[in-house]
Amino acid sequence: MFFYMPVHVYSEPYCITRHADALARLGKRALIVTGASSAKRNGSLQDTVQALEEKGVTWCLFDQVEENPSTDTVMKARDFGLSEQADFVIGIGGGSPMDAAKAIALMMQHPAEDASYMEDKEKDSGRLPLALIPTTCGTGSEVTAVSVLTRKATSHKSSIPHRIFADLAFLDGRYLQMASPSILANTTMDTFAHLVESYINTASTLYVRAIIDQGLSLWRKNKDIVLRQRQATEEDFFTMLNASMCGGMAIAHTGTTVPHGLSYALTLKANMPHGKACGYFMKGYLDEASKEDRNHILSLAGFKDTDDFLAYYRATCGMETIATDILESSIQDVLKTPAKLAAVPYTMNESVLRRIVF
Ligand code: NAP
Ligand code: FE
């Protein structure tokens, strides 16, 4: 068995300012990478700047990362970071800025290369020092080696082949306080998808399953908050971040499988947020699994059966009907990724995919 998780993680209130030394050891001038606005409003950018300035580290800001970030944005940020002579990268935000920051740190390390470098699995994954600060509770990107990017020219979204773990991650639940109910619903559904897809996975191991079981138990504690039956406390936001990190550590070892593979067309063609798009296929994926696996997951997550899960999904994420041609393209996407099919421990072929999707 194999287990590898090289990211130093600090998880406590004010951890960025409390551990400013660790951040400052990464370099002398930071390129901070964020989305358009949330990091400026939720306190994460302010804490980061305060920590850097206390330690005499200078910084510059690239705040143009869009949702489902593109390789074009990565190249634009890379050029900006090089022109500013930044020597390390800090990604703050949901999965989009964190994934972009990984690829930016990679491309800054290879200044003479063009965007094709991000498609070439033979090329090395050397990168500038990197810190990540999650402000949503779904992707676990702060502890995965994956950067999921959109190629605008082909309307295609997938992980780049490079393996990019961060040096540092800072988890502070205070940043989730202003996340809307729909952001919490969509991103906690992404966490659930990571935990399920990693459990029902040919690469799942004893170590990974220990983390998944812990993640599902934590995830269950937030359901009433996501259902808007209870207000979240600061501790609850930490529980959400910790569940998300468990999902990240799990998929860092197993990868995701069919629901993630099917989800990308819904995000790109129907504009559906990532976690909600993965959750769309989750009842079908669980229904096809072995009874033992299904019951294990459902009981830890606090669902009676997969209909109970579906009711929760509809109540929290909503339920849109997706056009048949988009669902057909989801199936074609997955059929083109044999690794995702092979990761499923039960029979997986086009007819099973059709049962999951329709
Ligand atoms: P996201 O695309 O990063 O952000 C979604 C929205 O949430 C943005 O409008 C963002 O605003 C806002 N937001 C972020 N933090 C907030 C906060 N604390 N309060 C209020 N609003 C906030 O969403 P995500 O679901 O976290 O990430 C999805 C991406 O991650 C997808 O591209 C997906 O494919 C990828 N992903 C990666 C991995 C991995 O292992 N690397 C795993 C799963 C998914 P701003 O734009 O203003 O910041
Ligand atoms: Fe995901």
Side-chain angles (χ1 to χ4, degrees), residues 186-234:
N186 295 334
T187 61
T188 54
M189 188 51 64
D190 192 21
T191 291
F192 185 67
H194 296 160
L195 295 166
V196 171
E197 291 173 48
S198 193
Y199 193 93
I200 306 173
N201 194 305
T202 52
S204 209
T205 64
L206 180 79
Y207 304 144
V208 169
R209 286 188 165 188
I211 291 169
I212 295 169
D213 286 1
Q214 180 64 46
L216 287 168
S217 304
L218 292 171
W219 187 85
R220 173 188 192 148
K221 293 185 182 181
N222 304 319
K223 281 162 62 189
D224 55 354
I225 296 165
V226 181
L227 283 163
R228 303 193 209 186
Q229 294 165 349
R230 183 168 70 82
Q231 286 284 326
T233 64
E234 188 172 295

mmCIF file of all heavy atoms in Angstrom, residues 186-234:
data_model
loop_
_atom_site.group_PDB
_atom_site.id
_atom_site.type_symbol
_atom_site.label_atom_id
_atom_site.label_comp_id
_atom_site.label_asym_id
_atom_site.label_seq_id
_atom_site.Cartn_x
_atom_site.Cartn_y
_atom_site.Cartn_z
ATOM 1 N N ASN A 186 -23.389 23.441 -3.058
ATOM 2 C CA ASN A 186 -22.675 22.890 -4.221
ATOM 3 C C ASN A 186 -21.303 22.343 -3.829
ATOM 4 O O ASN A 186 -20.888 21.284 -4.313
ATOM 5 C CB ASN A 186 -22.489 23.968 -5.299
ATOM 6 C CG ASN A 186 -23.809 24.426 -5.873
ATOM 7 O OD1 ASN A 186 -24.788 23.676 -5.865
ATOM 8 N ND2 ASN A 186 -23.866 25.652 -6.349
ATOM 9 N N THR A 187 -20.609 23.051 -2.955
ATOM 10 C CA THR A 187 -19.243 22.599 -2.670
ATOM 11 C C THR A 187 -19.246 21.425 -1.685
ATOM 12 O O THR A 187 -18.422 20.526 -1.815
ATOM 13 C CB THR A 187 -18.317 23.755 -2.213
ATOM 14 O OG1 THR A 187 -18.794 24.345 -1.014
ATOM 15 C CG2 THR A 187 -18.206 24.822 -3.282
ATOM 16 N N THR A 188 -20.193 21.396 -0.732
ATOM 17 C CA THR A 188 -20.232 20.208 0.134
ATOM 18 C C THR A 188 -20.666 18.973 -0.675
ATOM 19 O O THR A 188 -20.261 17.856 -0.350
ATOM 20 C CB THR A 188 -21.148 20.396 1.374
ATOM 21 O OG1 THR A 188 -22.449 20.792 0.939
ATOM 22 C CG2 THR A 188 -20.590 21.430 2.339
ATOM 23 N N MET A 189 -21.445 19.193 -1.734
ATOM 24 C CA MET A 189 -21.797 18.049 -2.598
ATOM 25 C C MET A 189 -20.551 17.543 -3.343
ATOM 26 O O MET A 189 -20.394 16.336 -3.580
ATOM 27 C CB MET A 189 -22.902 18.466 -3.585
ATOM 28 C CG MET A 189 -23.507 17.341 -4.405
ATOM 29 S SD MET A 189 -24.073 15.893 -3.470
ATOM 30 C CE MET A 189 -25.388 16.575 -2.473
ATOM 31 N N ASP A 190 -19.648 18.438 -3.691
ATOM 32 C CA ASP A 190 -18.376 18.014 -4.312
ATOM 33 C C ASP A 190 -17.589 17.140 -3.328
ATOM 34 O O ASP A 190 -17.041 16.088 -3.706
ATOM 35 C CB ASP A 190 -17.568 19.264 -4.702
ATOM 36 C CG ASP A 190 -16.375 18.971 -5.597
ATOM 37 O OD1 ASP A 190 -16.348 17.912 -6.261
ATOM 38 O OD2 ASP A 190 -15.461 19.830 -5.651
ATOM 39 N N THR A 191 -17.560 17.572 -2.057
ATOM 40 C CA THR A 191 -16.889 16.752 -1.036
ATOM 41 C C THR A 191 -17.500 15.349 -0.995
ATOM 42 O O THR A 191 -16.771 14.341 -0.986
ATOM 43 C CB THR A 191 -17.022 17.408 0.364
ATOM 44 O OG1 THR A 191 -16.250 18.598 0.387
ATOM 45 C CG2 THR A 191 -16.542 16.475 1.465
ATOM 46 N N PHE A 192 -18.826 15.290 -0.962
ATOM 47 C CA PHE A 192 -19.485 13.972 -0.905
ATOM 48 C C PHE A 192 -19.087 13.131 -2.123
ATOM 49 O O PHE A 192 -18.775 11.939 -2.001
ATOM 50 C CB PHE A 192 -21.013 14.157 -0.840
ATOM 51 C CG PHE A 192 -21.770 12.870 -0.655
ATOM 52 C CD1 PHE A 192 -21.664 12.139 0.521
ATOM 53 C CD2 PHE A 192 -22.592 12.376 -1.667
ATOM 54 C CE1 PHE A 192 -22.365 10.937 0.691
ATOM 55 C CE2 PHE A 192 -23.295 11.186 -1.505
ATOM 56 C CZ PHE A 192 -23.182 10.463 -0.324
ATOM 57 N N ALA A 193 -19.071 13.764 -3.287
ATOM 58 C CA ALA A 193 -18.698 13.032 -4.511
ATOM 59 C C ALA A 193 -17.268 12.492 -4.401
ATOM 60 O O ALA A 193 -16.993 11.344 -4.778
ATOM 61 C CB ALA A 193 -18.840 13.942 -5.734
ATOM 62 N N HIS A 194 -16.350 13.303 -3.874
ATOM 63 C CA HIS A 194 -14.958 12.822 -3.735
ATOM 64 C C HIS A 194 -14.904 11.607 -2.811
ATOM 65 O O HIS A 194 -14.212 10.624 -3.099
ATOM 66 C CB HIS A 194 -14.050 13.923 -3.182
ATOM 67 C CG HIS A 194 -13.929 15.088 -4.113
ATOM 68 N ND1 HIS A 194 -13.527 16.334 -3.715
ATOM 69 C CD2 HIS A 194 -14.175 15.194 -5.449
ATOM 70 C CE1 HIS A 194 -13.521 17.158 -4.747
ATOM 71 N NE2 HIS A 194 -13.917 16.484 -5.817
ATOM 72 N N LEU A 195 -15.637 11.687 -1.692
ATOM 73 C CA LEU A 195 -15.597 10.588 -0.718
ATOM 74 C C LEU A 195 -16.204 9.323 -1.330
ATOM 75 O O LEU A 195 -15.648 8.222 -1.187
ATOM 76 C CB LEU A 195 -16.329 11.005 0.562
ATOM 77 C CG LEU A 195 -15.653 12.171 1.334
ATOM 78 C CD1 LEU A 195 -16.602 12.751 2.379
ATOM 79 C CD2 LEU A 195 -14.351 11.709 1.997
ATOM 80 N N VAL A 196 -17.322 9.467 -2.032
ATOM 81 C CA VAL A 196 -17.984 8.292 -2.634
ATOM 82 C C VAL A 196 -17.119 7.708 -3.753
ATOM 83 O O VAL A 196 -16.879 6.498 -3.815
ATOM 84 C CB VAL A 196 -19.377 8.684 -3.192
ATOM 85 C CG1 VAL A 196 -19.972 7.530 -3.998
ATOM 86 C CG2 VAL A 196 -20.315 9.094 -2.069
ATOM 87 N N GLU A 197 -16.642 8.569 -4.641
ATOM 88 C CA GLU A 197 -15.885 8.071 -5.800
ATOM 89 C C GLU A 197 -14.542 7.471 -5.385
ATOM 90 O O GLU A 197 -13.992 6.619 -6.079
ATOM 91 C CB GLU A 197 -15.690 9.192 -6.830
ATOM 92 C CG GLU A 197 -16.986 9.586 -7.504
ATOM 93 C CD GLU A 197 -16.850 10.794 -8.410
ATOM 94 O OE1 GLU A 197 -15.918 10.832 -9.231
ATOM 95 O OE2 GLU A 197 -17.686 11.714 -8.303
ATOM 96 N N SER A 198 -14.034 7.913 -4.244
ATOM 97 C CA SER A 198 -12.778 7.356 -3.772
ATOM 98 C C SER A 198 -13.007 6.034 -3.049
ATOM 99 O O SER A 198 -12.137 5.150 -3.068
ATOM 100 C CB SER A 198 -12.105 8.383 -2.843
ATOM 101 O OG SER A 198 -10.794 8.023 -2.604
ATOM 102 N N TYR A 199 -14.170 5.896 -2.422
ATOM 103 C CA TYR A 199 -14.489 4.634 -1.733
ATOM 104 C C TYR A 199 -14.827 3.551 -2.764
ATOM 105 O O TYR A 199 -14.295 2.432 -2.706
ATOM 106 C CB TYR A 199 -15.661 4.842 -0.763
ATOM 107 C CG TYR A 199 -15.850 3.680 0.197
ATOM 108 C CD1 TYR A 199 -15.252 3.694 1.449
ATOM 109 C CD2 TYR A 199 -16.599 2.562 -0.173
ATOM 110 C CE1 TYR A 199 -15.400 2.628 2.323
ATOM 111 C CE2 TYR A 199 -16.751 1.490 0.687
ATOM 112 C CZ TYR A 199 -16.146 1.527 1.938
ATOM 113 O OH TYR A 199 -16.287 0.461 2.793
ATOM 114 N N ILE A 200 -15.716 3.898 -3.691
ATOM 115 C CA ILE A 200 -16.104 2.933 -4.737
ATOM 116 C C ILE A 200 -15.095 3.077 -5.867
ATOM 117 O O ILE A 200 -15.335 3.722 -6.893
ATOM 118 C CB ILE A 200 -17.551 3.197 -5.225
ATOM 119 C CG1 ILE A 200 -18.511 3.204 -4.039
ATOM 120 C CG2 ILE A 200 -17.982 2.153 -6.253
ATOM 121 C CD1 ILE A 200 -19.929 3.618 -4.400
ATOM 122 N N ASN A 201 -13.925 2.511 -5.650
ATOM 123 C CA ASN A 201 -12.790 2.791 -6.538
ATOM 124 C C ASN A 201 -11.807 1.632 -6.434
ATOM 125 O O ASN A 201 -11.497 1.184 -5.326
ATOM 126 C CB ASN A 201 -12.127 4.106 -6.057
ATOM 127 C CG ASN A 201 -11.179 4.687 -7.070
ATOM 128 O OD1 ASN A 201 -10.270 4.009 -7.516
ATOM 129 N ND2 ASN A 201 -11.400 5.930 -7.431
ATOM 130 N N THR A 202 -11.306 1.176 -7.548
ATOM 131 C CA THR A 202 -10.379 0.035 -7.520
ATOM 132 C C THR A 202 -9.082 0.372 -6.772
ATOM 133 O O THR A 202 -8.384 -0.526 -6.315
ATOM 134 C CB THR A 202 -10.008 -0.413 -8.951
ATOM 135 O OG1 THR A 202 -9.566 0.736 -9.670
ATOM 136 C CG2 THR A 202 -11.186 -1.034 -9.686
ATOM 137 N N ALA A 203 -8.754 1.666 -6.646
ATOM 138 C CA ALA A 203 -7.502 2.047 -5.980
ATOM 139 C C ALA A 203 -7.695 2.344 -4.493
ATOM 140 O O ALA A 203 -6.750 2.741 -3.812
ATOM 141 C CB ALA A 203 -6.899 3.266 -6.682
ATOM 142 N N SER A 204 -8.896 2.160 -3.978
ATOM 143 C CA SER A 204 -9.150 2.490 -2.567
ATOM 144 C C SER A 204 -8.393 1.519 -1.658
ATOM 145 O O SER A 204 -8.383 0.311 -1.905
ATOM 146 C CB SER A 204 -10.652 2.411 -2.301
ATOM 147 O OG SER A 204 -11.017 3.287 -1.283
ATOM 148 N N THR A 205 -7.763 2.036 -0.628
ATOM 149 C CA THR A 205 -6.970 1.192 0.286
ATOM 150 C C THR A 205 -7.477 1.378 1.714
ATOM 151 O O THR A 205 -8.301 2.249 1.990
ATOM 152 C CB THR A 205 -5.482 1.595 0.264
ATOM 153 O OG1 THR A 205 -5.385 2.929 0.779
ATOM 154 C CG2 THR A 205 -4.883 1.526 -1.121
ATOM 155 N N LEU A 206 -6.898 0.593 2.613
ATOM 156 C CA LEU A 206 -7.219 0.725 4.039
ATOM 157 C C LEU A 206 -6.990 2.157 4.531
ATOM 158 O O LEU A 206 -7.825 2.727 5.236
ATOM 159 C CB LEU A 206 -6.310 -0.244 4.809
ATOM 160 C CG LEU A 206 -6.460 -0.290 6.312
ATOM 161 C CD1 LEU A 206 -7.669 -1.121 6.695
ATOM 162 C CD2 LEU A 206 -5.202 -0.884 6.943
ATOM 163 N N TYR A 207 -5.861 2.744 4.155
ATOM 164 C CA TYR A 207 -5.539 4.098 4.630
ATOM 165 C C TYR A 207 -6.543 5.111 4.071
ATOM 166 O O TYR A 207 -7.022 5.988 4.765
ATOM 167 C CB TYR A 207 -4.126 4.522 4.186
ATOM 168 C CG TYR A 207 -3.017 3.604 4.608
ATOM 169 C CD1 TYR A 207 -1.923 3.377 3.779
ATOM 170 C CD2 TYR A 207 -3.031 2.980 5.844
ATOM 171 C CE1 TYR A 207 -0.891 2.547 4.164
ATOM 172 C CE2 TYR A 207 -2.007 2.147 6.239
ATOM 173 C CZ TYR A 207 -0.935 1.921 5.398
ATOM 174 O OH TYR A 207 0.080 1.103 5.776
ATOM 175 N N VAL A 208 -6.801 4.973 2.777
ATOM 176 C CA VAL A 208 -7.719 5.918 2.140
ATOM 177 C C VAL A 208 -9.114 5.770 2.744
ATOM 178 O O VAL A 208 -9.796 6.757 3.026
ATOM 179 C CB VAL A 208 -7.738 5.673 0.609
ATOM 180 C CG1 VAL A 208 -8.864 6.437 -0.046
ATOM 181 C CG2 VAL A 208 -6.409 6.071 -0.009
ATOM 182 N N ARG A 209 -9.528 4.524 2.995
ATOM 183 C CA ARG A 209 -10.874 4.323 3.533
ATOM 184 C C ARG A 209 -10.997 4.829 4.976
ATOM 185 O O ARG A 209 -12.077 5.262 5.387
ATOM 186 C CB ARG A 209 -11.275 2.852 3.411
ATOM 187 C CG ARG A 209 -11.583 2.534 1.951
ATOM 188 C CD ARG A 209 -12.164 1.181 1.736
ATOM 189 N NE ARG A 209 -12.741 1.136 0.390
ATOM 190 C CZ ARG A 209 -13.465 0.144 -0.074
ATOM 191 N NH1 ARG A 209 -13.711 -0.913 0.679
ATOM 192 N NH2 ARG A 209 -13.966 0.201 -1.293
ATOM 193 N N ALA A 210 -9.917 4.804 5.718
ATOM 194 C CA ALA A 210 -9.968 5.393 7.071
ATOM 195 C C ALA A 210 -10.270 6.892 6.956
ATOM 196 O O ALA A 210 -11.060 7.445 7.725
ATOM 197 C CB ALA A 210 -8.639 5.168 7.789
ATOM 198 N N ILE A 211 -9.635 7.524 5.982
ATOM 199 C CA ILE A 211 -9.867 8.965 5.777
ATOM 200 C C ILE A 211 -11.281 9.208 5.254
ATOM 201 O O ILE A 211 -11.966 10.145 5.683
ATOM 202 C CB ILE A 211 -8.803 9.528 4.808
ATOM 203 C CG1 ILE A 211 -7.444 9.524 5.504
ATOM 204 C CG2 ILE A 211 -9.171 10.918 4.325
ATOM 205 C CD1 ILE A 211 -6.277 9.797 4.584
ATOM 206 N N ILE A 212 -11.739 8.357 4.347
ATOM 207 C CA ILE A 212 -13.097 8.525 3.798
ATOM 208 C C ILE A 212 -14.136 8.366 4.913
ATOM 209 O O ILE A 212 -15.086 9.164 5.011
ATOM 210 C CB ILE A 212 -13.367 7.496 2.678
ATOM 211 C CG1 ILE A 212 -12.442 7.760 1.489
ATOM 212 C CG2 ILE A 212 -14.838 7.536 2.252
ATOM 213 C CD1 ILE A 212 -12.434 6.652 0.447
ATOM 214 N N ASP A 213 -13.971 7.355 5.751
ATOM 215 C CA ASP A 213 -14.943 7.153 6.836
ATOM 216 C C ASP A 213 -14.998 8.380 7.747
ATOM 217 O O ASP A 213 -16.073 8.834 8.140
ATOM 218 C CB ASP A 213 -14.586 5.908 7.661
ATOM 219 C CG ASP A 213 -14.898 4.619 6.898
ATOM 220 O OD1 ASP A 213 -15.356 4.706 5.744
ATOM 221 O OD2 ASP A 213 -14.677 3.530 7.455
ATOM 222 N N GLN A 214 -13.816 8.916 8.056
ATOM 223 C CA GLN A 214 -13.775 10.134 8.874
ATOM 224 C C GLN A 214 -14.445 11.284 8.129
ATOM 225 O O GLN A 214 -15.230 12.045 8.703
ATOM 226 C CB GLN A 214 -12.309 10.478 9.195
ATOM 227 C CG GLN A 214 -12.132 11.708 10.042
ATOM 228 C CD GLN A 214 -12.739 11.564 11.429
ATOM 229 O OE1 GLN A 214 -12.543 10.563 12.093
ATOM 230 N NE2 GLN A 214 -13.494 12.549 11.852
ATOM 231 N N GLY A 215 -14.156 11.396 6.852
ATOM 232 C CA GLY A 215 -14.736 12.473 6.044
ATOM 233 C C GLY A 215 -16.256 12.383 5.993
ATOM 234 O O GLY A 215 -16.958 13.393 6.128
ATOM 235 N N LEU A 216 -16.799 11.182 5.820
ATOM 236 C CA LEU A 216 -18.260 11.024 5.748
ATOM 237 C C LEU A 216 -18.895 11.367 7.099
ATOM 238 O O LEU A 216 -19.965 11.987 7.149
ATOM 239 C CB LEU A 216 -18.625 9.596 5.335
ATOM 240 C CG LEU A 216 -18.371 9.261 3.850
ATOM 241 C CD1 LEU A 216 -18.483 7.747 3.614
ATOM 242 C CD2 LEU A 216 -19.355 10.009 2.934
ATOM 243 N N SER A 217 -18.238 10.969 8.190
ATOM 244 C CA SER A 217 -18.791 11.285 9.517
ATOM 245 C C SER A 217 -18.804 12.796 9.760
ATOM 246 O O SER A 217 -19.747 13.331 10.344
ATOM 247 C CB SER A 217 -17.979 10.601 10.619
ATOM 248 O OG SER A 217 -17.940 9.224 10.387
ATOM 249 N N LEU A 218 -17.759 13.470 9.307
ATOM 250 C CA LEU A 218 -17.741 14.934 9.431
ATOM 251 C C LEU A 218 -18.788 15.562 8.514
ATOM 252 O O LEU A 218 -19.508 16.488 8.891
ATOM 253 C CB LEU A 218 -16.346 15.488 9.059
ATOM 254 C CG LEU A 218 -15.194 15.147 10.001
ATOM 255 C CD1 LEU A 218 -13.860 15.584 9.386
ATOM 256 C CD2 LEU A 218 -15.389 15.828 11.351
ATOM 257 N N TRP A 219 -18.857 15.040 7.286
ATOM 258 C CA TRP A 219 -19.770 15.598 6.286
ATOM 259 C C TRP A 219 -21.220 15.549 6.781
ATOM 260 O O TRP A 219 -21.981 16.516 6.627
ATOM 261 C CB TRP A 219 -19.630 14.798 4.977
ATOM 262 C CG TRP A 219 -20.405 15.379 3.836
ATOM 263 C CD1 TRP A 219 -19.998 16.370 2.991
ATOM 264 C CD2 TRP A 219 -21.716 14.998 3.412
ATOM 265 N NE1 TRP A 219 -20.985 16.638 2.072
ATOM 266 C CE2 TRP A 219 -22.047 15.811 2.313
ATOM 267 C CE3 TRP A 219 -22.653 14.062 3.857
ATOM 268 C CZ2 TRP A 219 -23.277 15.715 1.645
ATOM 269 C CZ3 TRP A 219 -23.881 13.967 3.198
ATOM 270 C CH2 TRP A 219 -24.187 14.774 2.098
ATOM 271 N N ARG A 220 -21.566 14.445 7.431
ATOM 272 C CA ARG A 220 -22.937 14.252 7.915
ATOM 273 C C ARG A 220 -23.353 15.353 8.903
ATOM 274 O O ARG A 220 -24.524 15.759 8.937
ATOM 275 C CB ARG A 220 -22.965 12.878 8.598
ATOM 276 C CG ARG A 220 -24.216 12.556 9.300
ATOM 277 C CD ARG A 220 -24.046 11.277 10.100
ATOM 278 N NE ARG A 220 -25.327 10.809 10.547
ATOM 279 C CZ ARG A 220 -25.647 9.545 10.710
ATOM 280 N NH1 ARG A 220 -24.763 8.601 10.460
ATOM 281 N NH2 ARG A 220 -26.836 9.203 11.116
ATOM 282 N N LYS A 221 -22.373 15.856 9.665
ATOM 283 C CA LYS A 221 -22.692 16.850 10.699
ATOM 284 C C LYS A 221 -23.201 18.172 10.112
ATOM 285 O O LYS A 221 -23.767 18.981 10.823
ATOM 286 C CB LYS A 221 -21.444 17.153 11.547
ATOM 287 C CG LYS A 221 -20.978 16.006 12.392
ATOM 288 C CD LYS A 221 -19.815 16.460 13.262
ATOM 289 C CE LYS A 221 -19.305 15.309 14.088
ATOM 290 N NZ LYS A 221 -18.211 15.693 14.961
ATOM 291 N N ASN A 222 -22.907 18.395 8.816
ATOM 292 C CA ASN A 222 -23.279 19.681 8.217
ATOM 293 C C ASN A 222 -24.585 19.631 7.432
ATOM 294 O O ASN A 222 -25.004 20.648 6.894
ATOM 295 C CB ASN A 222 -22.185 20.146 7.242
ATOM 296 C CG ASN A 222 -20.855 20.221 7.913
ATOM 297 O OD1 ASN A 222 -20.769 20.677 9.046
ATOM 298 N ND2 ASN A 222 -19.820 19.756 7.235
ATOM 299 N N LYS A 223 -25.201 18.467 7.357
ATOM 300 C CA LYS A 223 -26.362 18.355 6.473
ATOM 301 C C LYS A 223 -27.486 19.308 6.880
ATOM 302 O O LYS A 223 -28.102 19.937 6.035
ATOM 303 C CB LYS A 223 -26.871 16.906 6.455
ATOM 304 C CG LYS A 223 -26.023 16.011 5.554
ATOM 305 C CD LYS A 223 -26.230 14.554 5.844
ATOM 306 C CE LYS A 223 -27.634 14.079 5.610
ATOM 307 N NZ LYS A 223 -27.818 12.695 6.108
ATOM 308 N N ASP A 224 -27.717 19.416 8.202
ATOM 309 C CA ASP A 224 -28.827 20.288 8.612
ATOM 310 C C ASP A 224 -28.522 21.756 8.318
ATOM 311 O O ASP A 224 -29.432 22.554 8.086
ATOM 312 C CB ASP A 224 -29.201 20.052 10.090
ATOM 313 C CG ASP A 224 -28.020 20.201 11.036
ATOM 314 O OD1 ASP A 224 -26.876 20.382 10.560
ATOM 315 O OD2 ASP A 224 -28.250 20.139 12.255
ATOM 316 N N ILE A 225 -27.246 22.110 8.300
ATOM 317 C CA ILE A 225 -26.883 23.494 7.944
ATOM 318 C C ILE A 225 -27.162 23.722 6.462
ATOM 319 O O ILE A 225 -27.755 24.724 6.068
ATOM 320 C CB ILE A 225 -25.395 23.765 8.260
ATOM 321 C CG1 ILE A 225 -25.169 23.666 9.766
ATOM 322 C CG2 ILE A 225 -24.962 25.123 7.727
ATOM 323 C CD1 ILE A 225 -23.718 23.557 10.164
ATOM 324 N N VAL A 226 -26.752 22.761 5.653
ATOM 325 C CA VAL A 226 -26.940 22.918 4.206
ATOM 326 C C VAL A 226 -28.437 22.894 3.862
ATOM 327 O O VAL A 226 -28.888 23.588 2.947
ATOM 328 C CB VAL A 226 -26.159 21.823 3.441
ATOM 329 C CG1 VAL A 226 -26.320 21.983 1.943
ATOM 330 C CG2 VAL A 226 -24.669 21.889 3.801
ATOM 331 N N LEU A 227 -29.201 22.161 4.650
ATOM 332 C CA LEU A 227 -30.667 22.146 4.470
ATOM 333 C C LEU A 227 -31.327 23.404 5.043
ATOM 334 O O LEU A 227 -32.542 23.551 5.000
ATOM 335 C CB LEU A 227 -31.270 20.916 5.163
ATOM 336 C CG LEU A 227 -31.104 19.581 4.444
ATOM 337 C CD1 LEU A 227 -31.365 18.411 5.395
ATOM 338 C CD2 LEU A 227 -32.024 19.488 3.230
ATOM 339 N N ARG A 228 -30.513 24.289 5.593
ATOM 340 C CA ARG A 228 -30.962 25.557 6.191
ATOM 341 C C ARG A 228 -31.867 25.346 7.400
ATOM 342 O O ARG A 228 -32.778 26.125 7.660
ATOM 343 C CB ARG A 228 -31.669 26.440 5.159
ATOM 344 C CG ARG A 228 -30.786 26.722 3.960
ATOM 345 C CD ARG A 228 -31.361 27.815 3.123
ATOM 346 N NE ARG A 228 -30.986 27.645 1.736
ATOM 347 C CZ ARG A 228 -31.262 28.518 0.801
ATOM 348 N NH1 ARG A 228 -31.915 29.608 1.079
ATOM 349 N NH2 ARG A 228 -30.882 28.302 -0.445
ATOM 350 N N GLN A 229 -31.598 24.250 8.144
ATOM 351 C CA GLN A 229 -32.375 24.002 9.362
ATOM 352 C C GLN A 229 -31.660 24.558 10.587
ATOM 353 O O GLN A 229 -32.188 24.566 11.683
ATOM 354 C CB GLN A 229 -32.588 22.489 9.539
ATOM 355 C CG GLN A 229 -33.459 21.888 8.454
ATOM 356 C CD GLN A 229 -33.390 20.369 8.404
ATOM 357 O OE1 GLN A 229 -32.541 19.743 9.035
ATOM 358 N NE2 GLN A 229 -34.284 19.778 7.632
ATOM 359 N N ARG A 230 -30.399 24.946 10.404
ATOM 360 C CA ARG A 230 -29.603 25.418 11.535
ATOM 361 C C ARG A 230 -28.544 26.383 11.016
ATOM 362 O O ARG A 230 -28.037 26.210 9.912
ATOM 363 C CB ARG A 230 -28.928 24.193 12.190
ATOM 364 C CG ARG A 230 -28.110 24.481 13.422
ATOM 365 C CD ARG A 230 -27.735 23.185 14.148
ATOM 366 N NE ARG A 230 -26.768 22.349 13.450
ATOM 367 C CZ ARG A 230 -25.444 22.536 13.488
ATOM 368 N NH1 ARG A 230 -24.935 23.533 14.165
ATOM 369 N NH2 ARG A 230 -24.638 21.733 12.825
ATOM 370 N N GLN A 231 -28.219 27.405 11.809
ATOM 371 C CA GLN A 231 -27.148 28.350 11.464
ATOM 372 C C GLN A 231 -25.793 27.711 11.768
ATOM 373 O O GLN A 231 -25.652 27.049 12.792
ATOM 374 C CB GLN A 231 -27.270 29.602 12.346
ATOM 375 C CG GLN A 231 -28.411 30.526 11.972
ATOM 376 C CD GLN A 231 -28.080 31.344 10.733
ATOM 377 O OE1 GLN A 231 -26.926 31.707 10.517
ATOM 378 N NE2 GLN A 231 -29.080 31.604 9.908
ATOM 379 N N ALA A 232 -24.827 27.935 10.922
ATOM 380 C CA ALA A 232 -23.492 27.369 11.162
ATOM 381 C C ALA A 232 -22.733 28.193 12.201
ATOM 382 O O ALA A 232 -22.812 29.420 12.206
ATOM 383 C CB ALA A 232 -22.711 27.347 9.859
ATOM 384 N N THR A 233 -21.995 27.504 13.053
ATOM 385 C CA THR A 233 -21.063 28.173 13.969
ATOM 386 C C THR A 233 -19.675 28.162 13.315
ATOM 387 O O THR A 233 -19.457 27.479 12.302
ATOM 388 C CB THR A 233 -20.964 27.412 15.302
ATOM 389 O OG1 THR A 233 -20.410 26.117 15.013
ATOM 390 C CG2 THR A 233 -22.332 27.273 15.963
ATOM 391 N N GLU A 234 -18.724 28.861 13.944
ATOM 392 C CA GLU A 234 -17.356 28.829 13.408
ATOM 393 C C GLU A 234 -16.826 27.393 13.377
ATOM 394 O O GLU A 234 -16.168 26.973 12.419
ATOM 395 C CB GLU A 234 -16.452 29.722 14.262
ATOM 396 C CG GLU A 234 -15.076 29.905 13.659
ATOM 397 C CD GLU A 234 -14.251 30.939 14.403
ATOM 398 O OE1 GLU A 234 -14.626 32.128 14.398
ATOM 399 O OE2 GLU A 234 -13.226 30.549 14.993
#
